[in-house]
Amino acid sequence: MAQEEMRKGPWTEQEDLQLAFYVNLFGDRRWDFLAKVSGLRRTGKSCRLRWVNYLHPGLKRGKMTTQEERLILELHSKWGNRWSRIAMKLPGRTDNEIKNYWRTHMRKKAQDERKHKASISPSSSFSNSSSFSSNSPDVDFMPITENNERNFYDTGGLEKKNDGDNNEKGKSTMKVYPMDEIWKDIELSQESETIMNIEPIMPSPIWNYCPNTLWMTDEEETKMFPQFYCLDNQDNTFLAG
DNA sequence: AATCGTACCAACCGCTGCTAG
DNA sequence: ACTAGCAGCGGTTGGTACGAT
């Protein structure tokens, strides 16, 4: 297939259905294979992203709760921009969602903080390191942006140095947020998914749209999606596309 | 009603790490 | 040991909705 025929941009409902169907059929691995066999003119990468961020049945949709917000804040103060890792502690939330949330909400906080500081001390620069010496995580994580300011996302290289795992090294360079007890609780409660009274996992739109199709028998599936799927009656082999 | 700015979300891109051959 | 292909991650961008002016 020529590369130029690959589709880009927003997914259609039809594509969603098609992808969900084939993921159910073959599992959420081998995305390039899935992309090909499904007949979708999408890259495997694109399919994976769509599945992970939108179609996955475990996704929780809607606004972040205050508990989630707090958790994100705290986890970010601990791990920096390790979105996927943070997402692991927030069942039903994707790294992309958390990343977007952080970008919008925390940037606003940063702006508010700047205004506040400017109003208190007009001569003080935000890039002054003293601006980051507060124990408030709201301020601590604010990286320098353009023109000698911290990039909003950039955690100042701390994460690279620490490279993830637990901050024994990081403690020397990164302020330790006194959350030990909370982390213990989080670790303990991770399995039970009762970290913050999480509501039952909501079905994704594809499940709402077609709630039974993904767990159908082959026969039911072929009836439901004859355009996507057919069985060769002679040898019961799967015929894609 | 029109315009503008902001918030939010979905999706793409580039890079990295892993793994099978 | 090396390499190619794939999956995953983080950063960024573009589109849309919505509220303020």
Side-chain angles (χ1 to χ4, degrees), chain A residues 59-77:
Chain A
L59 291 181
K60 186 180 171 187
R61 312 199 74 85
K63 286 197 69 172
M64 294 279 182
T65 65
T66 53
Q67 286 158 319
E68 284 174 314
E69 289 177 12
R70 199 170 64 87
L71 193 57
I72 290 168
L73 198 66
E74 289 161 358
L75 292 175
H76 187 273
S77 77

Side-chain angles (χ1 to χ4, degrees), chain A residues 104-153:
Chain A
T104 54
H105 289 75
M106 299 306 131
R107 181 166 57 188
K108 188 172 183 307
K109 278 198 174 191
Q111 286 168 351
D112 293 346
E113 185 73 21
R114 282 174 95 157
K115 284 176 190 169
H116 179 65
K117 284 190 178 296
S119 68
I120 291 172
S121 171
S123 62
S124 70
S125 162
F126 196 69
S127 63
N128 185 329
S129 60
S130 65
S131 299
F132 298 95
S133 61
S134 157
N135 266 341
S136 162
D138 291 7
V139 177
D140 276 344
F141 56 64
M142 289 310 163
I144 296 171
T145 56
E146 72 273 358
N147 300 335
N148 207 24
E149 296 169 359
R150 292 192 185 189
N151 180 315
F152 182 73
Y153 282 119

Side-chain angles (χ1 to χ4, degrees), chain A residues 202-231:
Chain A
M202 300 297 291
S204 62
I206 190 79
W207 267 249
N208 285 333
Y209 182 79
C210 203
N212 299 318
T213 58
L214 298 174
W215 318 112
M216 289 176 187
T217 64
D218 286 348
E219 193 178 43
E220 288 167 334
E221 285 168 350
T222 54
K223 283 178 187 168
M224 192 70 194
F225 296 116
Q227 69 273 37
F228 301 149
Y229 178 85
C230 61
L231 282 175

Side-chain angles (χ1 to χ4, degrees), chain A residues 154-172:
Chain A
D154 193 346
T155 51
L158 291 174
E159 283 305 306
K160 295 286 182 192
K161 285 173 189 168
N162 298 342
D163 202 24
D165 293 344
N166 287 328
N167 306 318
E168 284 309 313
K169 289 178 195 167
K171 280 178 181 174
S172 59

Side-chain angles (χ1 to χ4, degrees), chain A residues 23 28 32 48 52 72 83 93-94 100-101 113 117 123 125 132 140 149 165 168 181 184 188 191-192 221 236:
Chain A
V23 169
D28 57 350
D32 280 346
R48 179 191 158 271
V52 168
I72 290 168
W83 306 116
R93 300 295 186 185
T94 68
N100 282 333
Y101 173 80
E113 185 73 21
K117 284 190 178 296
S123 62
S125 162
F132 298 95
D140 276 344
E149 296 169 359
D165 293 344
E168 284 309 313
E181 292 305 312
K184 282 176 192 168
L188 287 171
E191 255 67 52
S192 63
E221 285 168 350
N236 269 355

